[in-house]
Amino acid sequence: VKNMISKDIRDISFVLRRGEILGLAGLMGAGRTELARLIFGADWYRSGKIYRNSREVRIRSTSDAVANGISYLSEDRKGNGLAIDLSVADNVALPNWDEFTRGIVINFNRMEEAVETVTKSVSVKTPSIGQLVRNLSGGNQQKVVIAKWLLKNSEIFIFDEPTRGIDIGAKKMILDSLMKLNKEKGVTVIITSSELAELRSVCNRIAIVTEGRIAGILRSDDKDYKFGLLMSGSKLVDADEEAI
């Protein structure tokens, strides 16, 4: 991402490395979610460029992002990520209908087999894929969102506050699933969170966002005082200059 500017974002540039988990940390309103939505094409940016594998790509809509292998998991999973009155199978299959249809004919056997496989791969706990999503726990609802994008063969996952509003046990389950995706399937991840400790437990590097800018990018094992300085808006001379 190079020189991205929008109503809420002030000239942000950073590098996302293949196969890493990059955290976006910062206080509420700092610009974390706004940046994630811009990358996914959910909101418009005034200027800036996005590159994928060193090639500039045009992302001006969510369809553009999906076509470039980018998926987005909203912090509002019920409002933006799921159709809670539909089944697990329907939710996972919705963005993937082209895989199971030929003309007006839907191959339901193939669809169910694919949904069963992908939901098991992320350990969705449900009596069956016919279960209504509204009847699942918060953690399992989030896993259904992950499953639908995995089936779409997304390579870059943007998780926006994935553990907000779920209990401690479910939080661990989601973070474990995220790390499993990264290690076993090789997906690259951006995760936003207001909980710095949570990011430090799963991320390779963490970008500190303050007032619509990236103050710096640190390794997860860097000293606490460095995170404190960046969160306060100060600049470190040994922050990740390549990425900013």
Side-chain angles (χ1 to χ4, degrees), residues 197-224:
E198 185 174 277
L199 291 178
R200 294 183 76 173
S201 72
V202 297
C203 296
N204 303 108
R205 297 183 301 144
I206 300 172
I208 309 300
V209 183
T210 60
E211 298 181 344
R213 300 180 184 274
I214 291 182
I217 298 182
L218 298 173
R219 297 186 308 275
S220 295
D221 59 356
D222 273 325
K223 301 293 186 181
D224 291 347

Side-chain angles (χ1 to χ4, degrees), residues 1 14-17 20-25 32 35-37 39-40 70-73 155-162 178 182 187-193 199 202-203 205 207:
V1 174
F14 71 94
V15 174
L16 176 66
R17 299 166 181 167
E20 80 168 333
I21 302 177
L22 175 69
L24 296 180
R32 295 170 294 120
L35 177 58
R37 287 177 58 85
I39 297 169
F40 188 60
I70 302 172
S71 63
Y72 176 72
L73 292 86
E155 297 176 333
I156 301 171
F157 280 70
I158 302 173
F159 289 81
D160 191 8
E161 293 279 7
L178 186 153
N182 174 254
V187 301
T188 303
V189 176
I190 296 175
I191 175 173
T192 81
S193 178
L199 291 178
V202 297
C203 296
R205 297 183 301 144

Side-chain angles (χ1 to χ4, degrees), residues 26 40 43 50 75 81 83-84 98 104 111 125 131 168 174-175 181 183 203 224-225 239:
F40 188 60
D43 295 326
I50 297 176
E75 62 179 315
I84 62 171
D98 55 335
I104 61 171
M111 182 192 80
K125 293 182 180 178
Q131 176 75 283
I168 293 176
I174 290 299
L175 294 175
L181 280 176
K183 291 179 180 178
C203 296
D224 291 347
Y225 81 90

